[in-house]
Amino acid sequence: MEELSDYPFESHYFEILRYKLHFLDEGSRHGPVIVLLHGVPTWSYIYRKIIPILVSSGYRVICPDMIGFGKSQKPQKKKDHTYTLHFESLSGLIQHLKLNNFIIYGQDWGANFALHLSVFYPTKIIGTVVSNGMVPSGHEPLS
């Protein structure tokens, strides 16, 4: 993927479940943390104008590209593109970065994962904000 002049962020990668997950990690390591989850068909690029505002306000911003989106590795088979893959890779990133006491924001599909992660990590996530989402059960196939 070519570099974009309006996306001046340093890329980071984390390998999980045989895939390379791309994420941004911007701001002070000592500031409060906010995780931004994108929807479909977007990627971390959607937050390119919000990230600098949050960073200038003292936040550390974590912004992953879900597997198959943006700069993250793409599954070769459609059947591999599952809710479980996305949930486990996002959960793995939270564990990998040792995140605690953070706020999570999700939009569209990201809202579904933000809600699920908030239930899964009730002592790590101190605030959840969602927009344009639903309450997932994990049993329905992704559209």
Side-chain angles (χ1 to χ4, degrees):
M1 180 173 279
E2 68 184 62
E3 294 302 315
L4 304 166
S5 62
D6 61 345
Y7 186 82
F9 310 109
E10 181 181 350
S11 290
H12 301 274
Y13 291 90
F14 168 62
E15 189 162 330
I16 186 162
L17 303 171
R18 304 178 329 269
Y19 295 101
K20 285 176 69 176
L21 182 128
H22 172 262
F23 67 98
L24 304 176
D25 188 347
E26 298 288 316
S28 170
R29 298 299 172 265
H30 304 292
V33 178
I34 187 164
V35 175
L36 303 176
L37 302 179
H38 65 82
V40 173
T42 62
W43 54 294
S44 57
Y45 181 79
I46 196 171
Y47 296 119
R48 71 194 178 283
K49 295 186 181 195
I50 296 169
I51 293 169
I53 295 168
L54 292 169
V55 168
S56 71
S57 296
Y59 285 93
R60 175 183 178 192
V61 180
I62 308 296
C63 192
D65 290 340
M66 285 190 272
I67 301 295
F69 297 87
K71 295 184 175 188
S72 287
Q73 189 174 352
K74 315 307 183 247
Q76 296 301 308
K77 297 176 184 166
K78 186 176 178 180
K79 70 175 183 65
D80 293 338
H81 206 21
T82 65
Y83 183 95
T84 301
L85 170 71
H86 294 300
F87 180 80
E88 289 181 0
S89 62
L90 293 170
S91 179
L93 181 64
I94 289 168
Q95 293 172 37
H96 172 72
L97 294 175
K98 297 180 173 87
L99 299 180
N100 283 298
N101 301 316
F102 64 96
I103 297 165
I104 192 165
Y105 169 79
Q107 176 268 331
D108 189 60
W109 274 20
N112 305 344
F113 294 110
L115 290 169
H116 194 164
L117 289 163
S118 295
V119 171
F120 199 75
Y121 291 112
T123 60
K124 292 180 179 290
I125 297 175
I126 60 171
T128 304
V129 181
V130 296
S131 63
N132 192 32
M134 64 178 182
V135 177
S137 70
H139 295 85
E140 299 87 11
L142 296 174
S143 59

